[in-house]
């Protein structure tokens, strides 16, 4: 008898997929069928928001062209609401993805180019995050 190796494939969904399906709490800003937006828990600035596709794909530029072309209009509406909710000059945008392997855009309120750095990221308490999220939702 030949014994065949048995491989068990365990699929671990990303922390962001767990946020989308409600297994992990988040300060949600908005969602559509394809996208989800919520506050970063270690914001670079008040209002720092993550915009993600619901489809779990690691690398941002591996998203198919239709998702790529639709994610910016979704992010645009969120950025306009953030601008109305916190003090800033404009909303900066970054794509990194080195920490969480689920494509995402960082929308960060900035007043100068030097604000756009992860060196400024700090944990924020839940009450403050909840207050900011509710302001941004109200301005959508
Ligand atoms: P990066 O993958 O480096 O582009 O960044 C991932 C971002 O996800 C970081 O800014 C983290 O603070 C943020 N992050 C990680 N876990 C959570 C979470 N549970 N809720 C909100 N933001 C998160």
């Amino acid at each position: 008898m030949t014994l065949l190796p048995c491989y068990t494939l365990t699929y671990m969904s990303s922390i962001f997929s767990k946020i989308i399906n409600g297994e992990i709490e988040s300060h949600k800003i908005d969602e559509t069928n394809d996208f989800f937006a919520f506050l970063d828990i270690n914001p670079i600035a008040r209002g720092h928001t993550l915009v993600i596709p619901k489809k779990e794909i690691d690398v941002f530029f591996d998203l198919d062209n239709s998702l790529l072309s639709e994610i910016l209009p979704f992010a645009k509406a969120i950025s306009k609401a953030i601008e109305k909710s916190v003090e800033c000059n404009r909303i900066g945008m970054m794509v990194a993805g080195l920490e969480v392997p689920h494509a995402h855009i960082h929308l960060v309120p900035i007043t100068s180019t030097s604000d756009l750095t992860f060196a400024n990221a700090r944990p924020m308490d839940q009450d403050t995050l909840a207050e900011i999220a509710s302001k941004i939702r109200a301005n959508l």
Side-chain angles (χ1 to χ4, degrees):
M1 184 174 79
T2 314
L3 283 176
L4 294 171
C6 171
Y7 299 105
T8 312
L9 289 175
T10 340
Y11 179 71
M12 298 275 293
S13 62
S14 79
I15 188 164
F16 289 173
S17 289
K18 290 182 175 148
I19 284 176
I20 292 164
N21 68 31
E23 279 174 70
I24 293 178
E25 283 189 22
S26 71
H27 296 276
K28 179 175 143 181
I29 304 298
D30 198 12
E31 74 177 306
T32 64
N33 282 342
D34 291 322
F35 305 110
F36 195 92
F38 58 105
L39 291 186
D40 195 302
I41 41 163
N42 300 301
I44 291 173
R46 286 169 70 84
H48 178 176
T49 298
L50 300 173
V51 171
I52 64 178
K54 289 186 173 175
K55 190 171 183 185
E56 189 177 319
I57 287 171
D58 177 0
V59 176
F60 186 78
F61 287 112
D62 284 344
L63 292 179
D64 62 43
N65 286 353
S66 73
L67 281 179
L68 273 178
S69 64
E70 287 160 17
I71 197 166
L72 277 185
F74 177 71
K76 175 180 174 177
I78 308 286
S79 80
K80 296 291 176 198
I82 300 170
E83 248 176 348
K84 289 183 198 152
S85 310
V86 297
E87 263 187 49
C88 64
N89 205 312
R90 62 185 56 206
I91 305 301
M93 195 170 93
M94 290 196 293
V95 172
L98 294 173
E99 184 190 324
V100 178
H102 185 140
H104 51 280
I105 296 174
H106 294 262
L107 297 178
V108 185
I110 55 171
T111 50
S112 74
T113 316
S114 58
D115 293 341
L116 207 51
T117 167
F118 288 110
N120 292 343
R122 301 278 181 279
M124 185 174 265
D125 69 86
Q126 295 296 320
D127 287 350
T128 311
L129 287 167
E131 181 203 316
I132 296 169
S134 117
K135 237 186 205 175
I136 299 172
R137 284 194 301 267
N139 282 317
L140 271 174

